[in-house]
Amino acid sequence: MQTDITYRPVAVIDIGTSSIRMAIAEIGSDSSIRILDRLTQAVNLGKDTFTRGSIRHETIEDCVQVLLSYQQVLLEYEITTPEQLHVIATSAVREATNQLAFLDRIYIATELQVDAMDEAEINRITYLGIRRELTQMSTDATIVVCEVGGGSTELLAVRNNQIDFAHTYQLGSLRLRKTLDSYGAPITQSRHLMEAEIKRTTGLLHGHVNSDHPLRLVALGGDIRFAANQINGSWDSKTGATIDRDALETLTNDILAMPLDTIAQQYPLDITFQETETLGPALLAYVEIAKQLKIQKIQVSGANLRDGLLQQMALKGAWSREFQNQIIGSVLDLGRHFDFDEAHAVHVASLASDLFDQLQTQHNLDPRYGTFLRVAAYLHEIGMFINNRGYHKHTMYLINNSELFGLGKTNLLLIALIARYHRRASPQPKHDGFSTLNRDNRVAVSKLAAILRVAVALDASRNQAIHQIHCKTDEKQLVVSTPDATDLSLEQLTLKQNGSLFEEVFGLRILLRSNATKLT
């Protein structure tokens, strides 16, 4: 019997470098998405931030008016609650010195909460938007997903639907324009200057991408979609288009040779005047990246950031088991870089996940915290790479200063603190990092660090003997039983020594028992 699918209206708004875009859709009870409307309004956010460092008052008020007009459209679609709308801002807002003033002004005028996403979060959302398309591509190739924005360039390397590499380069079309303006170079030299800047910024790209397999380049973004329209004519954004690198370079040369007003006059239906500033530099970046990777054919995708945001809403968050596994791939790479004890780390992470699932009633945390716990468990000993003494503090530093796919700065800090507290002192208000957290995150770190201590103790012998555990609350204690081992003396001793944080946080003493043989 087929169940009727119900739909709810939702919307996402992307406050970008040169425009504010909104997508309105219906999400079905089966997580399907139906696009209802798309709107775009040009703004000068990126030009302000990347040329003067802050957003001008006039630009802020322009953004307010755009968002107020969007709110009228949202009312027509009966989108009236915060759960139905997600508003984000990217690098043009995130890097502005008056970011907080901008966000506060938007909230005062519209009551909209704007999420200024960092680079790792943008990578995560980009992947959500394009992952279905990637699953249909060849599994024997490494697929490099690239989007050149106004302020930065996002790159993902994907193989067998697993993230091999993710990085955000401080290379954007408006930044390149700023570089040209600072040199004051004539238009005849502009291409060479931009090429040099692109090569300088992405010079190590080829070393990060596994060239043992065939490479494919998938390009996202309005500038490359413009190029596909000019080179191929009309194309289906659902299936994408393929363009030749030489054809793209020819078009790029033509665009770079034109004054901005000529570009706007020649393509009045395809591009706004604000977008003419980004077009040439962005296309040149795509050409140079394709050359570095020795790729002749470029796949152009119609996917965009709004698609990823809608996918996240459809999934009721991005922390599905599949997506957790994507994160873990880059986590393991980081652990191997610091020569961690992989067998122990993997086993502790498995035990920590089991504890998190079985202790849901006690900790009452949502699934994303389970991901943070797993990552902390994998990496809890990487500080030993620096020094065994005080290594938990070194671990915190290394995690907090790493780049992990899908995990933004706030999430990295939480993970770093969970790993830091897997031994020694309990969390204290005076500790670096911990003192900056709000109460909810402080409590979450304490809960997860307490669980991690238990998981680490369960492999105190480092022989991965305990695979199955069963947790049961008995009066004032938590009984953890296992059928796997009869001699648990080392694990029981370690739990006794390190179980104080768990008792402090949850009010439960821990008792480890073996039911492999009859207890006396």
Side-chain angles (χ1 to χ4, degrees):
M1 179 178 177
Q2 186 173 1
T3 305
D4 291 336
I5 299 173
T6 58
Y7 290 89
R8 58 189 175 100
V10 299
V12 293
I13 298 176
D14 167 19
I15 302 176
T17 57
S18 61
S19 61
I20 300 178
R21 297 179 174 90
M22 179 167 71
I24 300 172
E26 288 181 329
I27 293 179
S29 52
D30 61 347
S31 298
S32 60
I33 299 172
R34 301 193 305 203
I35 300 295
L36 302 178
D37 204 354
R38 297 184 189 272
L39 293 88
T40 301
Q41 289 286 331
V43 292
N44 283 320
L45 281 167
K47 187 174 183 180
D48 286 359
T49 297
F50 303 128
T51 57
R52 63 196 304 270
S54 62
I55 305 169
R56 294 178 301 123
H57 172 75
E58 294 83 355
T59 303
I60 294 176
E61 293 307 310
D62 287 343
C63 293
V64 167
Q65 293 305 311
V66 170
L67 292 171
L68 287 172
S69 69
Y70 283 0
Q71 284 185 313
Q72 293 301 312
V73 178
L74 293 174
L75 286 175
E76 296 173 9
Y77 283 96
E78 298 183 349
I79 298 173
T80 58
T81 65
E83 293 76 19
Q84 294 175 282
L85 177 65
H86 191 185
V87 186
I88 71 154
T90 53
S91 57
V93 172
R94 185 179 64 244
E95 296 183 26
T97 56
N98 59 340
Q99 175 201 142
L100 293 180
F102 174 87
L103 297 176
D104 288 348
R105 174 61 187 141
I106 295 300
Y107 180 76
I108 290 169
T110 67
E111 296 188 356
L112 292 175
Q113 293 276 7
V114 180
D115 180 7
M117 286 190 164
D118 65 22
E119 295 94 335
E121 293 170 314
I122 296 295
N123 269 329
R124 170 168 57 87
I125 299 300
T126 298
Y127 173 75
L128 282 175
I130 199 173
R131 63 175 181 165
R132 290 184 180 177
E133 191 172 330
L134 297 181
T135 59
Q136 299 171 2
M137 296 184 180
S138 172
T139 57
D140 66 345
T142 296
I143 302 169
V144 180
V145 181
C146 173
E147 180 167 9
V148 180
S152 58
T153 294
E154 312 287 339
L155 279 175
L156 295 173
V158 184
R159 176 166 167 74
N160 292 325
N161 297 318
Q162 293 291 318
I163 305 294
D164 278 351
F165 171 71
H167 190 67
T168 299
Y169 296 88
Q170 293 300 301
L171 172 74
S173 49
L174 284 170
R175 289 190 203 273
L176 287 170
R177 280 289 178 194
K178 179 185 176 182
T179 301
L180 291 181
D181 293 342
S182 66
Y183 282 118
I187 194 168
T188 54
Q189 296 180 18
S190 64
R191 179 191 173 104
H192 299 299
L193 288 171
M194 285 191 288
E195 282 179 341
E197 183 69 11
I198 293 166
K199 290 175 181 177
R200 183 190 68 80
T201 307
T202 63
L204 298 177
L205 171 61
H206 201 276
H208 290 301
V209 176
N210 188 344
S211 57
D212 294 337
H213 306 280
L215 296 179
R216 295 183 64 175
L217 179 60
V218 178
L220 312 179
D223 296 308
I224 196 68
R225 289 195 295 271
F226 166 89
N229 284 332
Q230 305 311 313
I231 294 170
N232 287 6
S234 60
W235 56 286
D236 186 352
S237 61
K238 293 182 179 179
T239 57
T242 301
I243 58 175
D244 185 78
R245 189 185 77 199
D246 293 339
L248 177 61
E249 186 167 15
T250 299
L251 175 65
T252 301
N253 293 339
D254 292 342
I255 294 294
L256 289 173
M258 295 183 195
L260 300 184
D261 55 353
T262 303
I263 298 174
Q265 292 169 9
Q266 184 159 334
Y267 304 103
L269 301 179
D270 300 306
I271 195 168
T272 66
F273 186 77
Q274 284 89 342
E275 291 169 335
T276 61
E277 291 190 284
T278 68
L279 183 60
L283 296 184
L284 183 60
Y286 286 113
V287 170
E288 291 303 318
I289 289 170
K291 284 183 176 180
Q292 284 192 37
L293 297 175
K294 297 181 174 61
I295 293 174
Q296 189 62 40
K297 299 294 183 181
I298 302 170
Q299 179 76 25
V300 179
S301 171
N304 56 55
L305 191 60
R306 275 85 59 210
D307 294 328
L309 291 168
L310 289 170
Q311 284 290 337
Q312 179 174 254
M313 295 179 80
L315 295 170
K316 296 183 174 64
W319 304 99
S320 64
R321 180 64 64 180
E322 175 193 352
F323 197 73
Q324 287 184 36
N325 291 337
Q326 295 290 355
I327 293 172
I328 297 308
S330 63
V331 172
L332 288 174
D333 283 343
L334 181 64
R336 290 163 187 155
H337 178 76
F338 292 114
D339 197 25
F340 73 153
D341 182 345
E342 186 165 349
H344 174 65
V346 169
H347 195 66
V348 169
S350 176
L351 292 169
S353 292
D354 284 348
L355 288 166
F356 183 86
D357 292 342
Q358 294 190 43
L359 298 176
Q360 180 65 45
T361 303
Q362 282 72 34
H363 62 68
N364 196 31
L365 297 171
D366 67 52
R368 66 192 173 103
Y369 288 101
T371 301
F372 301 159
L373 175 61
R374 283 184 70 193
V375 175
Y378 280 116
L379 301 177
H380 71 280
E381 289 185 339
I382 62 172
M384 289 183 177
F385 185 83
I386 298 176
N387 197 315
N388 283 358
R389 184 175 181 180
Y391 76 84
H392 53 295
K393 295 180 181 179
H394 300 317
T395 291
M396 176 180 169
Y397 175 84
L398 292 176
I399 294 174
N400 208 26
N401 289 277
S402 296
E403 184 176 9
L404 292 172
F405 169 68
L407 296 169
K409 293 178 181 178
T410 300
N411 295 339
L412 278 179
L413 176 59
L414 296 178
I415 293 165
L417 286 166
I418 295 164
R420 182 248 196 270
Y421 292 123
H422 85 275
R423 68 193 290 264
R424 298 291 178 86
S426 298
Q428 300 294 328
K430 64 182 180 180
H431 288 167
D432 289 344
F434 191 77
S435 60
T436 67
L437 302 181
N438 60 32
R439 183 178 63 183
D440 287 345
N441 281 334
R442 290 198 305 271
V443 170
V445 166
S446 296
K447 289 178 178 179
L448 297 174
I451 293 172
L452 179 56
R453 289 193 185 193
V454 176
V456 171
L458 292 178
D459 195 38
S461 61
R462 292 183 178 259
N463 61 9
Q464 293 80 58
I466 298 176
H467 291 89
Q468 299 180 53
I469 56 174
H470 176 71
C471 299
K472 182 180 179 181
T473 303
D474 180 12
E475 295 181 354
K476 292 293 184 178
Q477 66 183 11
L478 175 71
V479 179
V480 180
S481 58
T482 177
D484 294 325
T486 56
D487 182 8
L488 298 174
S489 54
L490 180 57
E491 285 73 16
Q492 288 168 335
L493 176 61
T494 306
L495 266 179
K496 185 176 181 180
Q497 293 173 337
N498 298 335
S500 58
L501 180 60
F502 192 92
E503 185 173 359
E504 177 185 323
V505 172
F506 295 104
L508 297 170
R509 291 186 300 108
I510 305 177
L511 179 64
L512 175 62
R513 290 177 176 169
S514 171
N515 54 14
T517 59
K518 185 177 179 179
L519 297 175
T520 59

